[in-house]
Amino acid sequence: MKPRPLSARSRPVLKVRSWKRSALRSRHVWAEKCKMAAASEKDSATSQKIQRPPSIALLAEEGVCVLLMGSGQKLTFTGKCIVTCLYGSVQVLGLTINSNETPYELFSPNTHSPLTITALKQKKAAKTCKEIRMEVRALLRGYLSLDCRRMVMKNFKSSCSVLLMERLDDPTTSYITTHSEYANIFSAKLNEKYSSILDDSVLHSVGIENRNPSSEIVMSEKTLSAAQKLVDACLEEHDGCPVILICGPQNVGKSTFNRYLINQLLNHISNVGYLECDLGQSEFTPPGCISLLNITKPVLGPPYTHQRDAQKMVYFGEPSCEQEIERFLESVKYVITCYKREQPLIVNTMGWVKGFGLLLLIDLIHLLSPRYVVQMVAEGDERMEPLTPEYIKNTAGFMTKAWSGAKYKSKGMDSSDEEGDSSNDVHAKASLGHELLLAESSFSGAGGTETVRCHGWILRDLAMLGYIGRLQQYDVEQIIPLHSLVPYEVPFNAVALRIIHSEVAPSHIMYSANASWVGLCHILDDVSSQDSGPVILTQTPICDCLGFGVIRGINMMKKVYHILTPLSPEALRSVNCLLIGNISIPHSVFKHQPGIAGEVPYVTSEYDFSIYGSGKIKINKHLKRPEHL
């Protein structure tokens, strides 16, 4: 297969419309046009230098291709694939992929800005060009036929990088795409189609589609500079492993910055701590969680492609803490006790930064005592107050007071508790001050919600489907619907039950529990009961959440819950509490149940919403402190 030749860049053709003008006038016009043409040619050359597409892509076999990229060349794509660097090095979202490393799974759906693979400049090699060519030829021998190898080597230069790209079929994303609403999330939208000199059929065989390089993820110079400073600080370790708190309003790129920073750190160290405080858009867990994770693998996709087990997690049960700020802060305190300062910690916060949201953010800074605060703002947008050390010390939060000269005292945590936990003094004692880094987001639509690629509730549903997808077996060709999976039987008296977000009468609690998303938790109290009836908790505990499940049915005769969960039987032995919150199973799970004849279970259009109590009851639990009145 011969690649299509590169199109030669034609020189501008300049025409003089009239020879009747004076010689001086003609020379002047000619000079101006020459200047404009030179400037245009220079801009074109600069643009091509920055956004040159890869020079060649050859199909090795169906689902496998080899990509040859010169230094600085880019491939922006939609889809998913496995990438192995055979020679040279490339970078993807801050992660440097070198030769002889393990393959990496890349997920670039149309719900987010597309990923870009950029070939890096090669270091000066001690080998001769002949030795390098022999080495590359030997690497290709196991993947390409003789004719294809000759074609690659004909275009190969010592400054090139050689990538092996393979089709990626994994159970999680295969399960997500079985739902009709999300069947095409790994395909480029019609208005985003793009063609270059690459053979599109070769890329399609791998499962990706070429995109315009101008649609890649954009990070401003200030943002990149802030990330580099944080990486340098983590490697120097002058003050131990730093705590880095990322904050800012919605849609300014906090999640993208976190992924980039994690990948940059993993280029140098083996693991990174991550504290999730964003209930609505959690990165590694389903929504409604406060969690601490130890990240050892790069983040090369959106949250629903990399759901992971947490080191310690609390199921808050709401996509927002607006109604229960106090319980939220107590949950953060509970989770952070597990952090041992053995690796850098990245703290992700919510986009709620006005009113009580700002007070809550100040509480988090008081509580966690970060060494660095990265405040992200949209370029040209109305800026929030800079969170300088002086501002934080002199401003009270929702639960914490301003600087008192000794310690921050918060409601519900007395000084005796602080002094008794010496391993966690850094979170209880007064902050010694942080360094504020301002990062401006310059991408189109930054700071607004009108141009977001995907609404928040859709991303929450996708994250839950990504977690449910872990129930699938490793045979991606056979996706089993939830109603066909065998559930666990859990006796009523073996677990305590609590509805977090609403007060429910005991006689109706089983109706609320049926077909619900449930947190599988462990509490210290003994919940075993001689009675065969359900054990109902009267208060919401702050306890360890080990994972999640779906109550797919309740057998009132046998007095058991039928629960589907990807948790291992070893972990399930510790579960003695079921928490049900305001996080519902995605509607697509109910609406598309294959193999069902007649009435679809749990789905009805005849529900009477005029019935008293059928609507959601909101209880405002805000209690204003005197200094906030």
Side-chain angles (χ1 to χ4, degrees):
M1 184 183 298
K2 294 184 178 181
R4 288 184 285 181
L6 290 166
S7 58
R9 178 160 43 87
S10 59
R11 299 184 63 83
V13 178
L14 304 178
K15 295 182 180 180
V16 180
R17 295 184 178 179
S18 175
W19 289 97
K20 295 182 180 180
R21 298 174 183 174
S22 65
L24 181 61
R25 175 71 173 169
S26 298
R27 286 197 297 272
H28 176 72
V29 171
W30 180 265
E32 289 298 320
K33 288 189 175 183
C34 284
K35 287 180 181 179
M36 292 173 63
S40 176
E41 193 170 325
K42 183 177 180 182
D43 293 342
S44 177
T46 303
S47 176
Q48 289 188 13
K49 183 177 180 182
I50 296 175
Q51 299 183 351
R52 288 180 299 163
S55 57
I56 186 174
L58 287 178
L59 187 66
E61 58 183 68
E62 185 62 30
V64 181
C65 80
V66 172
L67 193 68
L68 190 65
M69 303 181 70
S71 177
Q73 290 182 330
K74 297 183 177 184
L75 173 64
T76 303
F77 67 94
T78 292
K80 52 181 180 173
C81 62
I82 302 174
V83 170
T84 306
C85 188
L86 300 179
Y87 178 82
S89 58
V90 296
Q91 191 172 80
V92 184
L93 197 58
L95 177 72
T96 301
I97 304 176
N98 298 307
S99 57
N100 301 321
E101 289 187 350
T102 57
Y104 290 94
E105 297 180 349
L106 273 57
F107 299 90
S108 183
N110 58 36
T111 56
H112 293 70
S113 296
L115 292 179
T116 297
I117 302 174
T118 305
L120 301 179
K121 186 176 180 180
Q122 305 300 326
K123 296 180 181 178
K124 214 166 186 180
K127 300 178 182 178
T128 63
C129 290
K130 183 178 180 180
E131 291 173 334
I132 292 174
R133 293 181 68 85
M134 289 178 62
E135 179 184 347
V136 173
R137 191 177 288 109
L139 289 169
L140 295 175
R141 193 169 287 123
Y143 305 103
L144 296 180
S145 64
L146 179 60
D147 291 339
C148 288
R149 292 202 303 270
R150 286 174 176 171
M151 186 62 67
V152 171
M153 297 312 298
K154 182 179 178 181
N155 293 271
F156 177 77
K157 295 181 181 179
S158 59
S159 60
C160 288
S161 296
V162 183
L163 299 182
L164 178 71
M165 307 186 74
E166 303 171 84
R167 177 179 287 276
L168 171 59
D169 294 315
D170 70 309
T172 298
T173 55
S174 296
Y175 172 73
I176 292 175
T177 54
T178 59
H179 299 81
S180 58
E181 296 95 325
Y182 310 120
N184 299 314
I185 59 174
F186 287 102
S187 300
K189 299 177 181 178
L190 289 177
N191 61 340
E192 296 174 341
K193 299 286 185 180
Y194 176 77
S195 295
S196 69
I197 61 172
L198 285 178
D199 189 343
D200 290 339
S201 63
V202 174
L203 298 181
H204 287 172
S205 73
V206 181
I208 63 176
E209 297 180 61
N210 203 5
R211 291 283 303 276
N212 193 322
S214 62
S215 64
E216 67 176 322
I217 295 172
V218 177
M219 299 183 72
S220 66
E221 289 297 326
K222 285 187 177 181
T223 304
L224 294 173
S225 176
Q228 186 58 51
K229 184 168 184 177
L230 294 172
V231 171
D232 294 340
C234 292
L235 296 180
E236 289 173 358
E237 293 186 342
H238 287 320
D239 300 321
C241 296
V243 175
I244 303 164
L245 186 140
I246 317 297
C247 63
Q250 293 181 343
N251 197 35
V252 291
K254 294 191 299 296
S255 297
T256 301
F257 180 81
N258 287 338
R259 294 171 199 147
Y260 179 86
L261 180 58
I262 289 172
N263 293 339
Q264 282 274 292
L265 289 171
L266 290 178
N267 287 331
H268 307 282
I269 58 180
S270 59
N271 56 356
V272 179
Y274 190 88
L275 177 63
E276 182 62 81
C277 297
D278 189 348
L279 298 171
Q281 300 297 331
S282 304
E283 184 68 38
F284 299 104
T285 66
C289 297
I290 301 163
S291 57
L292 178 69
L293 300 101
N294 189 29
I295 308 302
T296 58
K297 294 181 179 180
V299 186
L300 299 170
Y304 55 87
T305 63
H306 52 243
Q307 294 290 293
R308 301 179 184 177
D309 294 328
Q311 187 178 354
K312 196 174 187 69
M313 178 168 62
V314 168
Y315 183 47
F316 189 79
E318 293 271 5
S320 171
C321 65
E322 186 177 356
Q323 303 298 325
E324 291 193 85
I325 295 179
E326 184 175 346
R327 183 164 69 90
F328 174 83
L329 288 172
E330 291 299 326
S331 299
V332 173
K333 292 177 189 177
Y334 181 80
V335 169
I336 197 60
T337 57
C338 196
Y339 176 56
K340 303 303 181 184
R341 298 186 65 85
E342 295 175 349
Q343 70 271 7
L345 179 67
I346 297 173
V347 181
N348 185 37
T349 60
M350 294 177 284
W352 183 30
V353 293
K354 293 183 179 180
F356 283 103
L358 178 59
L359 300 180
L360 176 60
L361 180 57
I362 293 171
D363 282 332
L364 287 176
I365 297 176
H366 286 174
L367 174 66
L368 301 174
S369 300
R371 179 67 186 86
Y372 295 93
V373 172
V374 181
Q375 187 173 352
M376 303 194 69
V377 294
E379 190 176 33
D381 198 6
E382 181 183 352
R383 295 174 180 263
M384 58 184 289
E385 185 75 26
L387 303 178
T388 61
E390 293 74 19
Y391 176 81
I392 294 298
K393 289 180 180 179
N394 297 322
T395 306
F398 182 79
M399 295 283 293
T400 56
K401 296 180 180 179
W403 173 255
S404 61
K407 293 184 176 181
Y408 289 117
K409 294 183 180 179
S410 61
K411 187 177 180 180
M413 183 175 70
D414 57 30
S415 58
S416 61
D417 291 337
E418 296 173 15
E419 294 170 358
D421 188 2
S422 59
S423 63
N424 219 22
D425 281 346
V426 67
H427 307 303
K429 68 182 181 181
S431 173
L432 299 177
H434 61 267
E435 183 174 346
L436 177 64
L437 302 177
L438 292 175
E440 283 190 353
S441 300
S442 57
F443 59 87
S444 177
T449 57
E450 298 82 7
T451 58
V452 293
R453 297 186 63 86
C454 199
H455 293 292
W457 67 268
I458 296 178
L459 296 179
R460 285 192 285 273
D461 280 1
L462 284 168
M464 297 173 71
L465 290 176
Y467 187 90
I468 296 173
R470 298 168 62 179
L471 284 164
Q472 300 298 322
Q473 302 298 320
Y474 289 99
D475 182 8
V476 296
E477 296 180 357
Q478 186 180 9
I479 300 299
I480 305 174
L482 293 189
H483 61 263
S484 299
L485 294 171
V486 179
Y488 290 96
E489 282 193 350
V490 182
F492 285 173
N493 60 358
V495 292
L497 184 66
R498 170 67 179 171
I499 308 295
I500 297 174
H501 62 288
S502 182
E503 297 296 333
V504 180
S507 58
H508 291 82
I509 202 162
M510 287 303 177
Y511 295 105
S512 300
N514 196 18
S516 291
W517 180 260
V518 59
L520 306 177
C521 305
H522 173 76
I523 57 178
L524 298 178
D525 297 333
D526 183 15
V527 299
S528 60
S529 173
Q530 299 299 326
D531 187 6
S532 59
V535 180
I536 309 299
L537 293 179
T538 57
Q539 291 185 336
T540 301
I542 296 177
C543 57
D544 289 338
C545 179
L546 306 179
F548 298 91
V550 173
I551 300 181
R552 59 153 290 183
I554 298 176
N555 191 324
M556 296 302 294
M557 298 294 293
K558 297 176 63 176
K559 298 187 182 300
V560 294
Y561 306 105
H562 289 165
I563 299 178
L564 291 171
T565 177
L567 276 185
S568 65
E570 292 76 14
L572 288 174
R573 292 190 184 97
S574 301
V575 174
N576 61 358
C577 177
L578 305 180
L579 296 182
I580 300 172
N582 193 23
I583 307 292
S584 59
I585 299 173
H587 290 176
S588 58
V589 173
F590 295 112
K591 292 188 295 183
H592 307 292
Q593 301 182 50
I596 299 296
E599 186 178 352
V600 179
Y602 302 112
V603 178
T604 180
S605 59
E606 300 177 356
Y607 188 79
D608 186 1
F609 285 93
S610 64
I611 297 175
Y612 179 77
S614 63
K616 179 184 173 183
I617 301 176
K618 288 188 176 181
I619 304 174
N620 193 340
K621 298 184 180 181
H622 288 322
L623 299 175
K624 290 188 178 181
R625 296 166 58 104
E627 56 263 42
H628 299 149
L629 295 176

